[in-house]
Amino acid sequence: MKPATITAPTSDQARGPGVIAIDGPAASGKSTVGFAVAGLFNYLFFDTGAMYRVVTWAALDQGTDPHNDAAVGTLAEELDIAILPVGTARDGRHLTVLVEGQDVTWAIRSPEVDQNVSAVAAVPRVRAALSQHQRQIGAQYAHGFAGMHGIVMVGRDIGTVVLPDAPLKIYLDAPVEERANRRFLEMEKRGKTTSFAQVLADMQERDRIDSQRAIAPLRPAEDAHIISTAGLGVLEIVERIVALAKATCGAD
Ligand code: DC
């Protein structure tokens, strides 16, 4: 594989398209790649999955059944959720997630949240509240905000529902076995004990729920650039997206 080199955007290209939407299934590389692209353009990296995770975490934390649609709907409408840049944290996070002022960046990545979040994300009231919040943040950062030049928004329905007018839409994909393997290795690194078979089964179930739900199912937007990440390194994928972002701005 040829080593990928990435040139940081300069002069005219420096601001990029303002908004980059990245969608794809779990462990398709959205977070790693989106964070790197955001860093190169000085954009906010905004992982919308974190919001669905916060609602799921809050339900579990207060002993509410995450399958109680009315209760999780109310949580999504009422919780004070803030998504912030990493700041001075040096613990591998790609963003900081606060709920009611409490830092839950890592708490929302627990296996319990993993197992319940797809059901929460399928609830219409949850989606309505969180999509509206995401659109507001997208509009706020699109032309620069808080010292940043734009936003990379990552999720499942960003190009199709949340920001259908985004000037650049990317859809990352990879076979479920490869994605499960990535997630398994990540979990091993964090000291979590689970089997590959379990990770694969959980991922297949999440894919099924995310892509078959009635509202905003996971699918590429018609004008999305689809990148199959199988066998590609992170730098190569980032390089492709940076090239597309520069092209979107009319520069090469
Ligand atoms: O990307 P993730 O694993 O953190 O996402 C958590 C869940 O939230 C996953 O089941 C898909 C859902 N989600 C969604 O429905 N729409 C989004 N824009 C982002 C995530």
Side-chain angles (χ1 to χ4, degrees), residues 22-38:
I22 305 181
D23 290 302
S28 53
K30 303 183 302 288
S31 185
T32 311
V33 165
F35 181 67
V37 171

Side-chain angles (χ1 to χ4, degrees), residues 23 26 30 47-50 52-53 109 117-118 121 127 134 154-158 183 206 210 213:
D23 290 302
K30 303 183 302 288
D47 170 13
T48 57
Y52 293 94
R53 288 175 175 275
R109 306 274 155 200
V117 66
S118 289
R127 299 208 71 82
Q134 290 156 16
V154 166
R156 301 291 192 289
D157 61 341
I158 308 306
R183 184 54 53 85
R206 285 181 56 195
D210 291 344
R213 67 184 176 219

Side-chain angles (χ1 to χ4, degrees), residues 32-187:
T32 311
V33 165
F35 181 67
V37 171
L40 286 166
F41 283 102
N42 185 28
Y43 284 9
L44 177 73
F45 171 70
F46 179 22
D47 170 13
T48 57
M51 287 186 146
Y52 293 94
R53 288 175 175 275
V54 165
V55 173
T56 309
W57 172 86
L60 293 167
D61 187 60
Q62 64 184 42
T64 298
D65 179 359
H67 292 89
N68 179 336
D69 290 7
V72 292
T74 303
L75 281 173
E77 286 161 9
E78 295 182 355
L79 282 176
D80 177 17
I81 306 173
I83 307 285
L84 305 171
V86 172
T88 55
R90 291 285 174 271
D91 57 1
R93 66 182 61 194
H94 289 161
L95 72 174
T96 290
V97 185
L98 303 183
V99 58
E100 309 294 335
Q102 182 186 348
D103 188 333
V104 293
T105 307
W106 291 114
I108 61 171
R109 306 274 155 200
S110 71
E112 293 71 32
V113 172
D114 275 352
Q115 280 152 18
N116 290 286
V117 66
S118 289
V120 170
V123 176
R125 262 176 71 202
V126 171
R127 299 208 71 82
L130 299 188
S131 301
Q132 191 195 3
H133 194 166
Q134 290 156 16
R135 250 174 239 126
Q136 281 165 358
I137 296 173
Q140 193 173 39
Y141 279 86
H143 303 290
F145 182 72
M148 300 196 146
H149 294 157
I151 184 165
V152 172
M153 201 181 290
V154 166
R156 301 291 192 289
D157 61 341
I158 308 306
T160 51
V161 174
V162 177
L163 302 174
D165 297 329
L168 178 60
K169 300 176 187 172
I170 306 290
Y171 187 89
L172 297 182
D173 207 359
V176 68
E177 292 77 13
E178 177 155 339
R179 292 186 283 113
N181 194 44
R182 283 181 204 161
R183 184 54 53 85
F184 176 66
L185 294 176
E186 262 170 43
M187 291 171 109

